Amino acid sequence: MISSSTIKAIVFFISAMMMGTLQAAPLLEPIGTFKMKLYDSVAIDNQAITGRFGGGTLTFKSGGSATIDACVEDGYIKSSGIVDFDLRCFAKLDDGTGMLIRYTGLIKTSEGFWERFHAGELTGPGRYMDFWFSEMKMVTTSEKYSWVNETAFIGEGANLAAPTAEEPGTVHYELFALRH
């Protein structure tokens, strides 16, 4: 039979071993803004949507930027009202190198969202949305921006509006990098 002091010693040893393997939760470091125009947003069946985006900017707080040329969306409106979207964008960095931006995310709409959105009104979290987040990955051969290839980005949606007869809509994220 194992004594209680032996059991306590084993528990202490296991606890000490596990403490060395645990890390602090990742931090979100503010890293920049992502803004682009929305030219078309259409339903392609009862729940699938697509959109055409472009003519925007990606600006890094540490300096540097990219021009967003074009993006296309593959989205789905779930019965719960959540919009599940996936975009691919082509951008040109300020050093002349091309970059692919892939991002997916979720928008949780609230009462009145679709009416306001289709009217071209500015929506966002707290304005006909409960939340709007995306996960972004960027890929480039640029030496100056090679760090983006190894960074996981989180986009917190700020402003979203559909195009009107007078002007294109808008998509605006604040960007964060996951850091340990």
Side-chain angles (χ1 to χ4, degrees):
M1 184 161 162
I2 299 175
S3 70
S4 65
S5 62
T6 303
I7 291 174
K8 287 178 186 177
I10 292 171
V11 169
F12 176 76
F13 177 75
I14 292 172
S15 298
M17 293 292 290
M18 292 193 65
M19 293 297 279
T21 63
L22 298 178
Q23 293 185 10
L27 302 173
L28 290 175
E29 175 189 338
I31 201 140
T33 58
F34 180 93
K35 295 180 181 181
M36 64 183 170
K37 295 176 182 171
L38 169 56
Y39 292 105
D40 291 302
S41 180
V42 296
I44 53 176
D45 69 20
N46 289 340
Q47 293 174 306
I49 58 173
T50 190
R52 186 172 57 92
F53 304 77
T57 57
L58 170 58
T59 307
F60 297 111
K61 289 184 184 281
S62 61
S65 64
T67 301
I68 301 164
D69 184 41
C71 306
V72 67
E73 174 184 36
D74 178 19
Y76 186 79
I77 303 169
K78 298 180 177 189
S79 60
S80 65
I82 297 229
V83 180
D84 188 343
F85 57 88
D86 184 358
L87 281 87
R88 298 291 182 271
C89 304
F90 174 80
K92 189 74 94 162
L93 291 157
D94 61 12
D95 67 0
T97 309
M99 180 170 67
L100 171 66
I101 302 170
R102 299 178 297 213
Y103 76 96
T104 61
L106 300 172
I107 296 173
K108 172 77 166 93
T109 62
S110 56
E111 186 70 34
F113 169 80
W114 291 107
E115 295 80 14
R116 301 292 199 271
F117 176 73
H118 288 299
E121 291 183 34
L122 208 56
T123 63
R127 291 170 286 137
Y128 309 104
M129 279 185 207
D130 292 339
F131 64 81
W132 174 22
F133 290 103
S134 67
E135 175 269 332
M136 294 185 184
K137 293 181 182 169
M138 301 177 199
V139 182
T140 184
T141 59
S142 168
E143 287 184 35
K144 178 180 176 183
Y145 293 99
S146 63
W147 61 272
V148 304
N149 297 323
E150 301 162 357
T151 303
F153 296 92
I154 299 296
E156 181 178 28
N159 295 302
L160 176 65
T164 65
E166 296 81 37
E167 61 187 9
T170 188
V171 176
H172 169 194
Y173 288 97
E174 289 301 315
L175 289 183
F176 300 86
L178 286 171
R179 302 280 193 226
H180 272 285

